[in-house]
């Protein structure tokens, strides 16, 4: 395969991956706690130009030329999303650094910014994926006294009775990895912590963590204006690489006809 075709081919694939990431961001613009993805490009290896290469001018001799580009989602953008009010008693948002911890049916632990939890009849707090919230209880949920639930900024869960008395029954911890960019998206708006990454846990007075806001949900941090601009640029770059491949194919077809 000629260098020009190889370069165009890699460019098409790279920008297709970028377009997939952009489409994923746009489709999740209303997903609670969703974090937009960052796509980076890098150059593939370079080759020394040789005289026997086709479609290269004499002026290019003695130089180097890249063989294409590669793209991929390198990390998530963990910038804070806006908070919107929600009526759920156990709907929460993290203002600042930190993640909720959830555990699925198989016992796998994940981190998430989606705070849309609800209290089930069996006394468990779960999200929409039926994953259990990590919570430290001092009183079993099925033994909580009657009253209104108040979740403080520190994560302390208080029960307020009709007389104005309050009883702490649990604490909701926040988690934060030592290297946030190392988190691996696991689908379902959650992240897996790779082996070897230290996981810090809030203790209610740790300045490294944000605060929990009851009655709010964090909306997606996707900026539609920026995303649509990136989409247009990516589409133009994709079309440019496609056109270059078509032009190379036409030129090589003409050369083959001359040989015949």
């Amino acid at each position: 395969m000629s260098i020009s075709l190889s370069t165009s081919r890699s460019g098409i694939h790279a920008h297709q991956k970028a377009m997939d990431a952009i489409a994923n961001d746009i489709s999740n613009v209303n997903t609670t706690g969703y974090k937009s993805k960052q796509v980076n490009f890098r150059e593939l290896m370079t080759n020394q130009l040789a005289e026997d290469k086709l479609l290269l001018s004499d002026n290019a001799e003695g130089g180097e030329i890249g063989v294409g580009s590669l793209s991929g989602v390198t990390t998530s953008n963990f910038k804070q999303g806006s908070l919107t009010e929600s009526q759920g008693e156990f709907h929460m948002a993290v203002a600042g650094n930190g993640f909720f911890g959830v555990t699925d049916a198989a016992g796998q632990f994940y981190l998430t910014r989606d705070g849309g939890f609800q209290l089930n009849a069996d006394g468990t707090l779960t999200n929409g994926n039926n994953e259990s919230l990590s919570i430290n209880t001092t009183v079993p949920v099925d033994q909580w006294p009657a009253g209104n639930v108040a979740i403080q900024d520190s994560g302390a869960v208080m029960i307020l009775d009709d007389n104005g008395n309050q009883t702490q029954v649990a604490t909701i911890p926040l988690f934060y990895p030592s290297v946030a960019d190392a988190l691996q998206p696991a689908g379902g708006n959650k992240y897996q912590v790779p082996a070897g990454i230290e996981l810090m846990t809030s203790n209610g007075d740790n300045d490294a963590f944000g605060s929990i806001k009851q009655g709010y949900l964090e909306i997606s941090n996707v900026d539609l204006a920026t995303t649509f601009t990136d989409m247009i640029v990516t589409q133009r770059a994709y079309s440019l690489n496609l056109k270059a491949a078509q032009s190379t194919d036409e030129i090589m077809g003409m050369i083959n006809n001359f040989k015949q």
Side-chain angles (χ1 to χ4, degrees):
M1 181 182 294
S2 71
I3 292 178
S4 55
L5 278 178
S6 176
T7 301
S8 299
R9 175 177 175 273
S10 67
I12 291 171
H13 287 173
H15 287 93
Q16 180 61 60
K17 289 182 180 179
M19 184 61 70
D20 291 342
I22 291 172
N24 187 58
D25 283 351
I26 293 175
S27 65
N28 283 284
V29 68
N30 292 320
T31 300
T32 302
Y34 177 81
K35 300 302 178 184
S36 60
K37 302 299 183 288
Q38 294 180 341
V39 178
N40 288 337
F41 291 81
R42 66 177 183 271
E43 182 184 19
L44 296 175
M45 68 167 62
T46 58
N47 282 344
Q48 294 288 337
L49 299 184
E51 295 181 358
D52 59 347
K53 297 295 182 182
L54 297 177
L55 307 178
L56 296 175
S57 70
D58 294 338
N59 296 330
E61 293 182 2
E64 295 180 346
I65 187 170
V67 296
S69 60
L70 182 68
S71 71
V73 176
T74 56
T75 184
S76 298
N77 176 14
F78 291 110
K79 179 181 178 181
Q80 175 78 51
S82 301
L83 304 186
T84 182
E85 291 189 40
S86 180
Q87 299 300 316
E89 188 174 36
F90 288 95
H91 282 188
M92 299 169 284
V94 179
N97 292 331
F99 296 82
F100 297 109
V102 295
T103 305
D104 64 13
Q108 180 65 50
F109 178 80
Y110 299 98
L111 300 181
T112 182
R113 294 279 293 195
D114 185 352
F117 297 99
Q118 63 275 337
L119 180 62
N120 300 321
D122 60 0
T124 59
L125 284 167
T126 60
N127 59 15
N129 297 324
N130 202 33
E131 296 159 338
S132 301
L133 171 68
S134 294
I135 182 172
N136 302 321
T137 57
T138 53
V139 178
V141 177
D142 57 0
Q143 298 179 21
W144 285 4
N148 296 322
V149 176
I151 303 174
Q152 299 180 348
D153 290 356
S154 63
V157 181
M158 316 296 293
I159 303 295
L160 307 178
D161 62 23
D162 294 337
N163 297 322
N165 300 317
Q166 59 181 10
T167 303
Q168 182 172 350
V169 294
T171 302
I172 300 173
L174 293 178
F175 302 89
Y176 199 76
S178 55
V179 183
D181 287 344
L183 291 180
Q184 300 173 348
N189 205 16
K190 56 184 183 288
Y191 303 89
Q192 189 170 11
V193 183
I197 299 298
E198 181 184 358
L199 194 61
M200 299 178 288
T201 306
S202 65
N203 55 19
D205 57 0
N206 193 333
D207 293 338
F209 290 87
S211 57
I212 295 178
K213 301 298 182 183
Q214 183 186 22
Y216 289 88
L217 290 174
E218 181 184 8
I219 64 176
S220 166
N221 68 351
V222 174
D223 185 336
L224 275 181
T226 300
T227 303
F228 276 119
T229 300
D230 292 341
M231 182 181 68
I232 294 172
V233 172
T234 302
Q235 286 177 328
R236 295 290 179 85
Y238 181 92
S239 298
L240 177 63
N241 280 275
L242 186 60
K243 190 65 176 178
Q246 292 173 339
S247 298
T248 300
D249 182 65
E250 292 174 359
I251 293 173
M252 296 186 73
M254 293 173 60
I255 293 174
N256 289 334
N257 290 333
F258 291 154
K259 290 183 178 180
Q260 295 174 1

